[in-house]
Amino acid sequence: MVDRLSAALILAGSLILYWQTYTFRKAPFASSLGPAFFPRVVLVGLMALSLALLVWPSGREAVRAGNFRERLAAWRYPAIAFVTFGVYAWLLPVLGFAPSTFLYLAAVQYLLRPRPWRAMVRPVAGSLAAVVVLQLLFERVLQVILPHGRWM
């Protein structure tokens, strides 16, 4: 029941946001894809996943058994992700897209799965590669201006 309700809300929100992408203004120098292309791709994927969850719910029930400490432990990772994303949103205008996104991706990978610093080489390299690809995708292909931060 909760799965279907969540899926219906996500589907409705995605449809509203998809409709809002038609209000994006296109710059005269922009590519044929325009600034609405990437949000539409993401929203179509989100709509497909929410439709799948609506049709085929997971069948798992929420954690209700156990004491308060066990129920609180179930919310540990979502809380870490939420707080980390809040810090990322705060750092974005200060540091700019590239440094804050790199820090966010590396921090989330470490906080959600703590490991020795030597084992962080692959996640840090992956974070760096993701930042480079996203920077090129948004600024070169989609021609979306990303925040550069106050220091630039």
Side-chain angles (χ1 to χ4, degrees):
M1 176 68 179
V2 174
D3 284 348
R4 286 197 166 128
L5 180 62
S6 300
L9 289 172
I10 292 169
L11 180 62
S14 298
L15 287 169
I16 291 168
L17 291 173
Y18 190 88
W19 179 66
Q20 288 292 317
T21 62
Y22 286 101
T23 64
F24 291 0
R25 284 184 281 168
K26 190 173 175 184
F29 60 85
S31 69
S32 61
L33 297 177
F37 175 74
F38 187 72
R40 285 180 186 158
V41 169
V42 171
L43 288 168
V44 165
L46 192 57
M47 285 187 267
L49 291 173
S50 62
L51 273 173
L53 187 58
L54 197 59
V55 174
W56 302 290
S58 70
R60 296 186 316 175
E61 288 295 318
V63 177
R64 292 191 184 147
N67 61 20
F68 177 74
R69 187 177 211 108
E70 290 171 352
R71 287 183 294 184
L72 189 62
W75 286 97
R76 178 176 171 220
Y77 292 125
I80 288 171
F82 185 75
V83 169
T84 310
F85 187 77
V87 171
Y88 170 67
W90 178 74
L91 284 176
L92 201 55
V94 176
L95 297 179
F97 176 79
S100 56
T101 302
F102 172 74
L103 290 173
Y104 168 71
L105 292 174
V108 163
Q109 291 182 69
Y110 178 74
L111 292 172
L112 293 180
R113 188 173 164 216
R115 56 192 104 182
W117 287 105
R118 286 186 179 159
M120 284 297 294
V121 172
R122 289 175 69 184
V124 166
S127 300
L128 185 61
V131 167
V132 169
V133 168
L134 288 171
Q135 184 89 24
L136 290 173
L137 175 71
F138 278 104
E139 288 198 342
R140 304 289 175 161
V141 178
L142 300 175
Q143 296 181 347
V144 174
I145 299 171
L146 298 172
H148 292 287
R150 294 184 189 143
W151 58 280
M152 286 185 79

